[in-house]
Amino acid sequence: MGGKWFYHLVAFIVVAIWGSTFVFTKMLLQAGLSPAQIFTLRFIVAYVLLLAFSLTRQHRWLSSSLKDELLMVVLGVTGGSMYFFTENAAMLYTTATNTSLIVCSCPLFAMFLFALFYRQSEPIGRMQAVGSLLACLGMAVVVLNGHFVLHLSPLGDLLAFAACLCWAVYSLLMKPALQRYSTLFITRKVFFYGLVTIMPYYALVPGFPTLSTILRPDVLWSLLFLGVVASMLCFLLWNWVISRLGAVVATNWVYFNPITTIIFAWWLLDEQITPFFLVGTLLILAGMYLADQNK
């Protein structure tokens, strides 16, 4: 990974934090909040903080053109509302294993999209392709954990695939966005349009947590972690890492998501770590190393 080790370290930290969010999300679900409500509240916290920070320095409200503003809308949908909605909805119709396996394969789809749209300016090298496939295999070994039987559920699996495709498109569109705008501006727009585009959901499923529920210490601390750390800081850092490593290499770190989730489950929930986890982790590490070899 050469001199880019710091960017890889930041990417790993971001993915590790995202892998830990299941604990806080589970606590909020147990407190009676719905997945859409959790997403909305964490994005409100992140957007308000980013907006306040932007107001302390020179900032811009709109993109340079309508085309670019529409690009921000699509980023808000694919990296925000639609991604979280489809991922959470998938859990209602299919198993956690299926959802994790499909959603965490998004780096593979991101690589295919880059090969299709940027094959001349940024061609995918053979080593990158082999490394991505190897890392994807390692992720599958970790998620399946020796149980090589998938319970197919067309609707749930389709929703999980939609979430996977959303994140791959988000990674793809970050390239032109980062060429013209700052990470802070893009991230703020993602949160804003993520919130705007989730609003129609509440017309179909009305209801929101009461203020007394939100102010409960366990609920409030979980929301602050998800909003400040897992959303605001992690999205800023993730978009910055993409600008430094490129979307294909950076997105490959998503393969580590189930690894960090399992580690946190072992630490906090006393779940066992199996030999499949160790083998899968080694495959992911080997794949990540190969994917970062440009030639």
Side-chain angles (χ1 to χ4, degrees):
M1 295 182 182
K4 296 181 288 186
W5 66 268
F6 179 71
Y7 307 129
H8 285 283
L9 176 62
V10 173
F12 170 76
I13 291 173
V14 169
V15 171
I17 292 172
W18 280 341
S20 73
T21 58
F22 83 101
V23 175
F24 301 92
T25 301
K26 184 176 181 179
M27 290 174 60
L28 292 174
L29 290 171
Q30 291 174 342
L33 279 68
S34 71
Q37 292 169 353
I38 295 170
F39 162 78
T40 304
L41 287 168
R42 66 185 281 186
F43 262 46
I44 287 175
V45 171
Y47 178 71
V48 169
L49 290 175
L50 275 183
L51 182 62
F53 178 73
S54 298
L55 292 174
T56 64
R57 49 194 294 166
Q58 289 186 341
H59 70 283
R60 59 192 305 171
W61 291 103
L62 297 173
S63 306
S64 301
S65 65
L66 177 60
K67 180 181 178 182
D68 284 354
E69 193 67 19
L70 290 174
L71 173 62
M72 299 301 165
V73 174
V74 177
L75 286 172
V77 171
T78 55
S81 56
M82 187 58 68
Y83 170 77
F84 282 94
F85 177 78
T86 51
E87 182 183 46
N88 290 327
M91 296 288 289
L92 299 175
Y93 300 101
T94 189
T95 64
T97 298
N98 282 34
T99 303
S100 180
L101 187 62
I102 296 172
V103 171
C104 287
S105 64
C106 74
L108 204 58
F109 288 94
M111 184 183 68
F112 289 145
L113 288 176
F114 260 76
L116 180 63
F117 289 97
Y118 299 121
R119 58 180 178 272
Q120 294 182 342
S121 60
E122 286 190 26
I124 303 297
R126 183 177 299 177
M127 293 300 286
Q128 274 191 321
V130 171
S132 293
L133 289 170
L134 187 62
C136 187
L137 174 63
M139 180 274 299
V141 172
V142 170
V143 172
L144 292 173
N145 195 29
H147 305 288
F148 301 104
V149 178
L150 291 176
H151 302 281
L152 298 180
S153 173
L155 178 58
D157 294 343
L158 186 62
L159 286 167
F161 177 74
C164 165
L165 196 58
C166 278
W167 195 255
V169 171
Y170 175 81
S171 303
L172 178 77
L173 295 179
M174 280 300 297
K175 177 179 170 61
L178 287 166
Q179 290 175 342
R180 297 191 287 276
Y181 301 97
S182 69
T183 300
L184 176 62
F185 178 79
I186 296 170
T187 307
R188 198 182 77 229
K189 284 291 187 179
V190 167
F191 291 141
F192 176 75
Y193 284 118
L195 287 169
V196 169
T197 53
I198 198 64
M199 288 301 111
Y201 170 85
Y202 291 102
L204 301 174
V205 186
F208 211 66
T210 63
L211 184 59
S212 60
T213 299
I214 294 174
L215 293 179
R216 278 174 43 186
D218 57 329
V219 172
L220 184 60
W221 282 113
S222 294
L223 285 174
L224 287 175
F225 175 81
L226 292 174
V228 178
V229 180
S231 293
M232 185 188 73
L233 292 178
C234 283
F235 267 80
L236 277 172
L237 289 172
W238 185 256
N239 293 340
W240 175 73
V241 164
I242 286 179
S243 71
R244 295 298 188 271
L245 293 178
V248 174
V249 174
T251 306
N252 275 338
W253 279 99
V254 173
Y255 290 134
F256 269 85
N257 203 301
I259 291 177
T260 57
T261 299
I262 290 174
I263 290 175
F264 273 93
W266 165 76
W267 179 32
L268 298 172
L269 303 177
D270 294 324
E271 294 187 6
Q272 291 187 340
I273 289 181
T274 68
F276 292 100
F277 170 83
L278 300 176
V279 171
T281 300
L282 290 175
L283 288 173
I284 293 173
L285 288 171
M288 287 291 301
Y289 175 81
L290 292 176
D292 198 37
Q293 308 306 304
N294 294 325
K295 295 183 180 180

